[in-house]
Amino acid sequence: MNSVIETEIKNIPLRFQTDAGLFSPGAVDAGTLAMLSRVDFKENDKVLDLGCGYGVVGILAARLIGRENVVLCDSSKNAVEYSGINARLNQVPGLDVRLSDGLENIPERDFTLILSNPPYHADFSVAKHFIEEGFRHLAVAGRLVMVTKRLEWYRNKITSVFGGVRVEEIDGYYVFVAEKRRTASGSGKKKAGKVNKLSRKLQRRHGDKH
């Protein structure tokens, strides 16, 4: 059964059509709202809504900074369809919504902001892909922002990939913010920066030389 959600986020009135087969069809998920409460979208951002569902995060971003600066993706055809419907409902028709298993159909490597509310009720394989590949798709100084109800695994995994993470608990959810940093190498000499390292396994997979 289809339903309609009417809400306001960051002073932007929004309307979403949903379906029983989509995540949180009756109301915008509290975890997503917790994550968005810690994000400020800026005019020069390039945003990826990773695992977009029916489009809340990406559509809000498009309303605030322009649809040309936002990409949404989901592995569900139903989610992609509803995100397109909701983009039109919220005055951002033509929004870039892609069917993609994680980041497989996302070639860009210059996002300044990747936001995700991953399926943390399942095993960690999806989250692992989101974190490791999210790192590779961010520009230097870009940020991954993720929300879950689990703390330890996510904190450890994000730290192992990004070199650090900031965590805040909000209404029973954990919001993780990690930055792809460029750090100076060497002591006392000015050298080219080096991006924080990936795990050895990920280096082997992608032929990374860092």
Side-chain angles (χ1 to χ4, degrees):
M1 178 181 291
N2 293 350
S3 58
V4 176
I5 298 168
E6 294 190 4
T7 188
E8 184 175 295
I9 308 173
K10 295 187 182 295
N11 299 316
I12 302 292
L14 297 165
R15 190 167 182 260
F16 300 102
Q17 284 190 18
T18 71
D19 177 89
L22 296 168
F23 172 65
S24 193
V28 176
D29 174 63
T32 296
L33 293 174
M35 177 176 66
L36 288 170
S37 75
R38 294 299 177 263
V39 174
D40 290 319
F41 297 102
K42 300 176 182 177
E43 288 184 2
N44 60 346
D45 274 330
K46 182 172 181 179
V47 176
L48 174 63
D49 180 0
L50 176 56
C52 62
Y54 49 84
V56 174
V57 172
I59 289 169
L60 174 66
R63 286 287 304 272
L64 289 168
I65 64 172
R67 66 186 179 189
E68 67 278 5
N69 300 312
V70 181
V71 176
L72 295 78
C73 70
D74 203 287
S75 61
S76 163
K77 290 182 180 179
N78 198 31
V80 169
E81 179 181 351
Y82 272 88
S83 289
I85 291 169
N86 290 326
R88 294 189 290 275
L89 280 178
N90 290 282
Q91 295 83 52
V92 282
L95 192 57
D96 188 349
V97 186
R98 305 179 195 175
L99 182 65
S100 180
D101 186 2
L103 290 110
E104 287 185 1
N105 194 31
I106 309 296
E108 297 93 334
R109 300 294 180 97
D110 61 345
F111 291 102
T112 63
L113 195 55
I114 296 177
L115 298 107
S116 185
N117 184 349
Y120 47 83
H121 55 277
D123 64 33
F124 292 111
S125 60
V126 173
K128 181 175 182 289
H129 171 80
F130 281 14
I131 294 164
E132 291 183 344
E133 291 300 320
F135 177 91
R136 297 185 61 81
H137 286 73
L138 283 168
V140 173
R143 292 173 296 143
L144 172 72
V145 185
M146 185 171 280
V147 62
T148 81
K149 278 194 170 182
R150 299 183 181 183
L151 174 61
E152 292 300 329
W153 186 91
Y154 284 88
R155 181 168 59 192
N156 293 339
K157 182 61 182 177
I158 295 172
T159 298
S160 75
V161 173
F162 282 80
V165 63
R166 186 172 75 250
V167 187
E168 185 173 358
E169 184 177 2
I170 303 172
D171 297 329
Y173 291 87
Y174 297 100
V175 178
F176 302 84
V177 181
E179 182 178 315
K180 184 172 182 176
R181 299 191 299 263
R182 184 179 293 278
T183 56
S185 60
S187 176
K189 294 181 179 180
K190 190 173 182 180
K191 296 185 177 182
K194 183 169 71 173
V195 176
N196 39 337
K197 294 182 180 179
L198 301 176
S199 66
R200 289 184 179 180
K201 183 177 179 181
L202 197 59
Q203 289 179 40
R204 289 195 299 270
R205 184 186 306 168
H206 295 283
D208 243 82
K209 302 301 182 184
H210 296 311

